[in-house]
C-alpha cells in the first residue's frame, strides 16, 4: 500500500464523517432543546519503521534512556530522546517519543480526557506499558518507573510512521441554548442544568431538554405521546387551568398534582441520543442522578445550542480540507501512473 495514498484516503473518510455530524447539527438549528454533537479524531498508532536490510541483527540492545519528566497536578508528561514509550491502544501498540497521562484510581498510568466538569477521566483510555506490553502501575517515583519502561528497538528500526487519522467518536455539547417565549401553557424550559424524565418502553428512563409537551390520554406527555414523569410517576392533567411553578410543582385548577421529576446527570458523557431529542444511558454505564437546582420556565422553550454562523464557517473549513486531501490522493495516483508507465520504459 502506498503510504501517501493511504494517509490521504483516511483523511477523506474522516472528513466525510465530520461533515455528516456537522450537517446533522445544522439541520437541527430550529429543534427545541437540541444539543449539538462534536467530532473527535485521533491518529492511528505510531508504528515502527525499519530498514529492509537487517544485518547485522543485534536485537533489543539495552541502551540508556535520558527522559525529561514534568508533573503538573494530575497530569504527567514525559519525553525520551532514546527509544520509545509504548502505549497500548485499541488498534495495537503505539511507539511515541512523548506521552501525557494521569494515574487512575487503581494506580495505572493511562491517557485521559476531560469531562464537562473539567475533570480528568480514564475510562476506555489507553494504558502506558513497558516494552513487554505490561501496563505500568505505581505511585510515587513515576519518573524512575518510566525510565525503566523505555523501549529500545533493534538497530534496523529507523523511526515511526503514522497511518493517518480516523474518526474516534462523537460527543455531545450540553451547554444551554437560548430561550424562546411561546406563551404556551405546556411549553417548558429548564434554566440551568437538568433533564425532564420521560417514560420509555418497558419503563426505561429517558431524558430530554425539549419541553414542548402536550396532553395524551389525560397525562402530560411529549409530542410523541411518551409520558413525562413526576415525583409520583406519570402526571395526570384533568382540568382547565394548568400552572407550573419554577420549582417544578404542577397545579391544576389551583390543586397541587405532582412535581416534575427533573434531575441532572453527573456523567453526561455516558448519555446517548436515541432520536426525537431523547437521551438514554449507554449500556453497562453507571451514571448518577443529582438534584435539580435550576428553574422551570412555563411558556418558554429552549432553542438549539448550535450556532448557525460558526457552523457554516466550520463547514467551509472542512470542505477546504476535503479538497486538499482530494488533491493529495490525485497526486499520489499520478505518481504511481508515471512510475508504472514512464520509469518502466527506461
Amino acid at each position: 500500500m502506498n503510504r501517501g495514498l493511504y494517509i490521504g484516503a483516511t483523511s477523506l473518510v474522516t472528513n466525510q464523517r465530520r461533515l455528516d455530524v456537522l450537517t446533522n447539527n445544522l439541520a437541527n438549528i430550529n429543534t427545541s432543546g437540541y444539543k449539538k454533537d462534536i467530532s473527535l479524531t485521533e491518529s492511528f498508532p505510531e508504528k515502527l519503521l525499519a530498514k529492509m536490510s537487517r544485518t547485522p541483527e543485534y536485537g533489543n540492545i539495552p541502551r540508556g534512556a535520558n527522559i525529561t519528566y514534568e508533573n503538573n497536578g494530575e497530569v504527567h508528561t514525559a519525553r525520551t530522546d532514546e527509544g520509545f514509550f509504548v502505549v497500548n491502544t485499541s488498534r495495537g501498540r503505539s511507539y511515541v517519543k512523548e506521552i501525557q497521562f494521569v494515574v487512575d484510581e487503581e494506580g495505572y498510568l493511562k491517557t485521559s480526557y476531560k469531562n464537562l466538569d473539567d475533570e480528568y477521566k480514564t475510562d476506555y483510555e489507553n494504558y502506558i506499558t513497558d516494552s513487554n506490553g505490561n501496563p505500568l502501575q505505581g505511585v510515587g517515583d513515576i519518573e524512575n518507573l518510566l525510565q525503566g519502561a523505555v523501549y529500545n528497538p533493534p538497530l534496523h528500526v529507523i523511526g515511526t510512521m503514522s497511518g493517518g487519522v480516523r474518526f474516534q467518536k462523537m460527543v455531545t455539547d450540553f451547554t444551554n441554548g437560548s430561550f424562546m417565549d411561546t406563551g404556551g401553557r405546556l411549553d417548558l424550559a429548564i434554566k440551568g442544568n437538568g433533564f425532564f424524565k420521560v417514560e420509555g418502553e418497558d419503563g426505561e428512563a429517558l431524558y430530554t431538554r425539549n419541553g414542548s409537551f402536550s396532553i395524551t390520554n389525560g397525562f402530560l406527555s411529549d409530542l410523541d405521546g411518551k409520558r413525562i414523569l413526576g415525583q409520583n410517576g406519570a402526571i395526570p392533567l384533568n382540568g382547565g387551568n394548568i400552572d407550573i411553578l419554577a420549582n417544578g410543582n404542577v397545579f391544576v385548577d389551583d390543586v397541587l398534582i405532582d412535581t416534575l421529576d427533573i434531575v441532572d446527570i453527573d456523567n453526561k458523557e455516558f448519555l446517548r441520543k436515541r432520536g426525537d431529542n431523547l437521551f438514554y444511558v449507554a449500556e453497562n454505564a453507571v451514571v448518577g442522578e443529582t438534584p435539580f437546582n435550576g428553574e422551570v420556565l412555563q411558556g418558554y422553550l429552549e432553542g438549539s445550542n448550535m450556532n448557525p454562523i460558526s457552523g457554516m464557517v466550520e463547514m467551509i473549513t472542512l470542505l477546504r480540507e476535503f479538497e486538499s486531501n482530494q488533491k493529495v490522493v490525485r497526486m499520489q495516483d499520478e505518481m504511481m501512473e508515471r512510475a508504472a508507465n514512464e520509469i518502466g520504459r527506461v
Side-chain angles (χ1 to χ4, degrees), residues 18-37 273 277 303-312 314-315:
R18 292 173 60 195
L19 187 61
D20 292 342
V21 174
L22 180 58
T23 302
N24 185 60
N25 286 337
L26 290 172
N28 283 283
I29 284 176
N30 295 319
T31 302
S32 298
Y34 178 79
K35 301 302 175 190
K36 67 179 179 181
D37 294 316
K273 290 185 176 179
N277 238 341
S304 168
N305 68 350
M306 179 64 194
N307 184 310
I309 297 176
S310 63
M312 291 305 298
E314 185 181 355
M315 176 168 281

Side-chain angles (χ1 to χ4, degrees), residues 15-227:
N15 283 335
Q16 181 63 56
R17 294 285 304 276
R18 292 173 60 195
L19 187 61
D20 292 342
V21 174
L22 180 58
T23 302
N24 185 60
N25 286 337
L26 290 172
N28 283 283
I29 284 176
N30 295 319
T31 302
S32 298
Y34 178 79
K35 301 302 175 190
K36 67 179 179 181
D37 294 316
I38 300 173
S39 302
L40 295 184
T41 60
E42 66 174 2
S43 63
F44 282 94
E46 292 280 340
K47 298 298 184 185
L48 296 179
L49 192 64
K51 295 185 290 187
M52 294 182 66
S53 172
R54 299 188 179 187
T55 55
E57 181 61 77
Y58 294 105
N60 184 18
I61 300 175
R63 297 189 290 272
N66 181 26
I67 74 169
T68 55
Y69 168 78
E70 293 180 4
N71 180 205
N72 184 12
E74 297 179 64
V75 182
H76 304 259
T77 305
R79 177 175 176 77
T80 179
D81 296 326
E82 298 288 337
F84 301 92
F85 295 113
V86 184
V87 182
N88 189 25
T89 75
S90 59
R91 293 180 175 257
R93 295 182 186 179
S94 182
Y95 299 85
V96 294
K97 288 287 188 183
E98 183 171 337
I99 52 174
Q100 191 174 76
F101 59 91
V102 301
V103 180
D104 72 3
E105 296 176 351
E106 298 178 339
Y108 287 106
L109 280 53
K110 298 179 72 174
T111 58
S112 65
Y113 66 94
K114 275 189 173 181
N115 66 7
L116 297 173
D117 297 322
D118 213 28
E119 299 170 332
Y120 289 99
K121 308 290 287 185
T122 58
D123 43 272
Y124 307 118
E125 285 295 306
N126 304 315
Y127 286 93
I128 313 300
T129 74
D130 61 19
S131 57
N132 296 317
N134 301 310
L136 295 180
Q137 185 181 25
V139 293
D141 194 352
I142 300 293
E143 182 175 5
N144 187 54
L145 181 64
L146 292 170
Q147 193 87 42
V150 173
Y151 172 64
N152 292 300
L155 294 181
H156 62 268
V157 172
I158 57 175
T160 58
M161 184 197 73
S162 172
V165 297
R166 76 182 188 97
F167 188 92
Q168 185 197 29
K169 62 182 177 181
M170 186 171 62
V171 297
T172 302
D173 179 358
F174 287 98
T175 54
N176 292 347
S178 58
F179 297 111
M180 302 176 291
D181 185 355
T182 66
R185 306 299 293 174
L186 295 178
D187 285 343
L188 304 178
I190 296 175
K191 187 177 182 181
N193 296 325
F195 297 88
F196 298 107
K197 290 184 71 173
V198 182
E199 184 180 34
E201 296 180 0
D202 302 324
E204 178 188 19
L206 302 173
Y207 305 90
T208 186
R209 291 280 297 194
N210 182 6
S212 182
F213 298 145
S214 63
I215 298 176
T216 303
N217 297 326
F219 290 91
L220 182 65
S221 66
D222 66 9
L223 296 183
D224 292 321
K226 296 184 180 64
R227 293 179 177 179

Side-chain angles (χ1 to χ4, degrees), residues 242-271:
I242 299 172
D243 289 311
I244 300 176
L245 304 186
N247 62 1
N249 285 344
V250 180
F251 288 85
V252 176
D253 295 333
D254 297 326
V255 177
L256 178 62
I257 301 299
D258 202 346
T259 300
L260 287 167
D261 190 7
I262 303 175
V263 296
D264 195 11
I265 304 295
D266 61 2
N267 292 321
K268 294 188 186 70
E269 60 267 28
F270 293 121
L271 290 181

Side-chain angles (χ1 to χ4, degrees), residues 223-240:
L223 296 183
D224 292 321
K226 296 184 180 64
R227 293 179 177 179
I228 308 303
L229 295 177
Q231 301 289 342
N232 301 315
I235 302 173
L237 292 179
N238 297 308

